[in-house]
Amino acid sequence: MVHAVISRSLSQRRLAVGVLFVAAIALVVILNRRSSGAADAPGEPRFHFTNIAHEAGIDFVHHGPTLDPRLDNIAPLISSLGASVTVSDVNNDGWPDLFFTNSRFGFPNALYLNRGDGTFVDTARAAGLADVNRPGEGVSMGAVWGDFDNDGLEDVLIYKWGYLFHGNNLRLNFLPELGRFQQAAEGVIADAGWAWGAQLGDLDNGGRNDLFIVNGYVSGDRDRSYWYAASKIAGAYSGVFEDARAWPAIGTASLSGYERSRVLVNRGLAGWSDVASQVGVTDEYDGRAIVLVDLFNRGVLDVVIANQKQPALVYKNSVAPGNHWIAFKLVGTRSNHSAIGAEVTLETGATRQLQTVDGGMGFASQNDRRLHFGLGRSGRADRVVIRWPSGTVQTLEHLAVDRLHVITEPDR
């Protein structure tokens, strides 16, 4: 009798434990469905892309360089560069515009102005940015945007490639005054090498953006130039010279190799000066990507370079005392958390500096998303206007300098 009572009690406890276990599993399933949406199938993505390029008025097609048909066997190797797209609000109307580059002589670049109604219009020809791919001047490979002349408008450096002269373009934004961009590249900028990667930033905290450009194509044996090897058949019968199969093997020779990096200081109306050797930049690697970042939180921009098949470089910047700076880390709430697309205008007296938080800038590169402004000796930041991607405009006045400010997007 006692044995029967004990067996019944044990069975009831086991049943109760089993019921509780099943209930716990059911509760987890219900909560998971509520968190992801009860109507969603497991693992189903909650977004979808639709290509609207044509409907939006964007019909750009990239064209590679045209080569002699007898070079077809190597054409894919030497003509696979130049398709790039960059974003900039060129007219400061709050709508992002698009700039596409072409790589064939005679074919225009395109600047698609955002109309704000879901459509774009190509204004590159009127804006002076279309016809830059001319014989003897190289063809476009990419672009870097930034305010070079402290007028609160983004200018553009179009970096180019060609076998003898590259013809990089620096176009200043005079849309409000002239309705177009004006060429300002000459001397050290126009002939700054292959210019795979380029970034602008205030390297001395002087209040103007400077340029750091990395160069080089193929660096092999220093005493064997492929240009020289190719020149030995240049005077031959054209049928021989124009047939790539007759060209000598490149082997370990160099082709536009051992090109030094350029550090171009912005001297305002006095132009640009290449000070690379003076500031300790003497590398001759085949540079590709470059980023600017305050690596050690000291209020100066350091430089990191990725080189093709060669060691990376980290240039720690040492700035002479006397100049001031201010930096911003933006945190989005209504906008994306990283604040990508936010524009910050810094006003000091009559001078305006503009920077944008971007998700990538230049060839295979992404800068520090904290925005760094040099202030020169003034030590003032009179007014800061932040235009968030959500459309919110935030104004801050008389901020302390020589420090990083973390700014959170206001609720409204």
Side-chain angles (χ1 to χ4, degrees), residues 18-182:
V19 170
L20 289 173
F21 180 72
V22 172
I25 293 177
L27 180 61
V28 170
V29 172
I30 292 171
L31 291 175
N32 282 340
R33 285 185 176 179
R34 286 181 178 177
S35 65
S36 61
D40 291 346
E44 181 181 342
R46 303 183 65 190
F47 62 93
H48 180 75
F49 289 109
T50 302
N51 179 18
I52 61 161
H54 180 71
E55 292 82 354
I58 299 175
D59 295 315
F60 179 83
V61 177
H62 175 259
H63 295 82
T66 301
L67 304 175
D68 190 286
R70 284 167 285 192
L71 301 179
D72 285 348
N73 64 319
I74 61 171
L77 173 66
I78 61 177
S79 64
S80 60
L81 303 174
S84 76
V85 58
T86 49
V87 178
S88 174
D89 183 1
V90 299
N91 55 2
N92 274 358
D93 65 352
W95 295 94
D97 311 304
L98 300 173
F99 183 62
F100 291 85
T101 58
N102 242 316
S103 307
R104 183 177 298 178
F105 291 134
F107 281 74
N109 296 337
L111 175 64
Y112 286 100
L113 206 65
N114 191 334
R115 289 170 161 167
D117 60 0
T119 65
F120 295 77
V121 59
D122 184 6
T123 62
R125 196 170 301 280
L129 296 179
D131 301 320
V132 302
N133 301 314
R134 294 188 286 262
E137 298 181 7
V139 292
S140 302
M141 190 168 73
V144 174
W145 294 84
D147 185 4
F148 289 88
D149 53 355
N150 291 354
D151 63 353
L153 295 170
E154 287 207 316
D155 313 299
V156 61
L157 172 72
I158 305 172
Y159 49 93
K160 305 169 77 176
W161 69 284
Y163 282 102
L164 293 178
F165 184 73
H166 307 287
N168 301 309
N169 273 231
L170 174 62
R171 304 254 165 170
L172 299 182
N173 189 338
F174 287 102
L175 288 176
E177 301 90 348
L178 305 175
R180 61 185 290 109
F181 287 73
Q182 292 287 98

Side-chain angles (χ1 to χ4, degrees), residues 251-271:
T252 59
S254 294
L255 178 60
S256 291
Y258 301 103
E259 289 193 357
R260 62 182 182 83
S261 298
R262 310 294 207 273
V263 181
L264 306 179
V265 171
N266 184 350
R267 304 197 185 281
L269 295 177

Side-chain angles (χ1 to χ4, degrees), residues 157-222:
L157 172 72
I158 305 172
Y159 49 93
K160 305 169 77 176
W161 69 284
Y163 282 102
L164 293 178
F165 184 73
H166 307 287
N168 301 309
N169 273 231
L170 174 62
R171 304 254 165 170
L172 299 182
N173 189 338
F174 287 102
L175 288 176
E177 301 90 348
L178 305 175
R180 61 185 290 109
F181 287 73
Q182 292 287 98
Q183 168 71 304
E186 56 185 27
V188 293
I189 292 181
D191 190 21
W194 275 86
W196 285 88
Q199 297 291 354
L200 69 145
D202 195 340
L203 300 176
D204 61 359
N205 286 339
R208 295 192 183 100
N209 280 320
D210 311 300
L211 266 172
F212 200 121
I213 301 174
V214 295
N215 285 307
Y217 189 26
V218 178
S219 295
D221 293 344
R222 284 186 177 271

Side-chain angles (χ1 to χ4, degrees), residues 101-411:
T101 58
N102 242 316
S103 307
R104 183 177 298 178
F105 291 134
F107 281 74
N109 296 337
L111 175 64
Y112 286 100
L113 206 65
N114 191 334
R115 289 170 161 167
D117 60 0
T119 65
F120 295 77
V121 59
D122 184 6
T123 62
R125 196 170 301 280
L129 296 179
D131 301 320
V132 302
N133 301 314
R134 294 188 286 262
E137 298 181 7
V139 292
S140 302
M141 190 168 73
V144 174
W145 294 84
D147 185 4
F148 289 88
D149 53 355
N150 291 354
D151 63 353
L153 295 170
E154 287 207 316
D155 313 299
V156 61
L157 172 72
I158 305 172
Y159 49 93
K160 305 169 77 176
W161 69 284
Y163 282 102
L164 293 178
F165 184 73
H166 307 287
N168 301 309
N169 273 231
L170 174 62
R171 304 254 165 170
L172 299 182
N173 189 338
F174 287 102
L175 288 176
E177 301 90 348
L178 305 175
R180 61 185 290 109
F181 287 73
Q182 292 287 98
Q183 168 71 304
E186 56 185 27
V188 293
I189 292 181
D191 190 21
W194 275 86
W196 285 88
Q199 297 291 354
L200 69 145
D202 195 340
L203 300 176
D204 61 359
N205 286 339
R208 295 192 183 100
N209 280 320
D210 311 300
L211 266 172
F212 200 121
I213 301 174
V214 295
N215 285 307
Y217 189 26
V218 178
S219 295
D221 293 344
R222 284 186 177 271
D223 57 351
R224 293 185 62 236
S225 169
Y226 191 70
W227 289 120
Y228 174 74
S231 72
K232 292 191 294 185
I233 63 169
Y237 170 62
S238 62
V240 174
F241 178 66
E242 294 174 357
D243 188 347
R245 291 170 297 184
W247 293 11
I250 187 169
T252 59
S254 294
L255 178 60
S256 291
Y258 301 103
E259 289 193 357
R260 62 182 182 83
S261 298
R262 310 294 207 273
V263 181
L264 306 179
V265 171
N266 184 350
R267 304 197 185 281
L269 295 177
W272 301 79
S273 298
D274 184 2
V275 299
S277 60
Q278 297 170 246
V279 298
V281 177
T282 58
D283 69 272
E284 294 180 336
Y285 289 143
D286 295 333
R288 294 297 183 265
I290 172 177
V291 295
L292 305 183
V293 51
D294 185 358
L295 279 176
F296 310 103
N297 294 336
R298 300 171 298 134
V300 298
L301 292 177
D302 306 299
V303 179
V304 182
I305 301 172
N307 297 299
Q308 186 75 11
K309 299 180 181 179
Q310 293 163 325
L313 293 171
V314 179
Y315 283 118
K316 184 178 180 180
N317 192 1
S318 299
V319 176
N323 288 340
H324 298 276
W325 59 278
I326 191 170
F328 301 93
K329 178 181 179 180
L330 304 187
V331 180
T333 54
R334 298 172 62 209
S335 304
N336 64 86
H337 183 74
S338 298
I340 293 175
E343 297 179 354
V344 177
T345 302
L346 171 67
E347 300 178 4
T348 302
T351 300
R352 290 185 301 164
Q353 298 186 54
L354 170 68
Q355 291 192 38
T356 302
V357 182
D358 61 70
M361 178 66 74
F363 183 83
S365 309
Q366 178 179 318
N367 288 320
D368 189 347
R369 286 201 294 268
R370 297 174 298 177
L371 302 182
H372 177 97
F373 294 83
L375 299 173
R377 296 187 177 276
S378 69
R380 291 167 42 203
D382 296 339
R383 190 166 180 258
V384 176
V385 179
I386 304 173
R387 189 159 60 189
W388 296 88
S390 65
T392 299
V393 177
Q394 183 178 8
T395 301
L396 307 167
E397 296 185 343
H398 306 298
L399 294 177
V401 302
D402 296 332
R403 67 182 59 184
L404 170 71
H405 295 267
V406 179
I407 309 295
T408 300
E409 181 181 13
D411 293 335

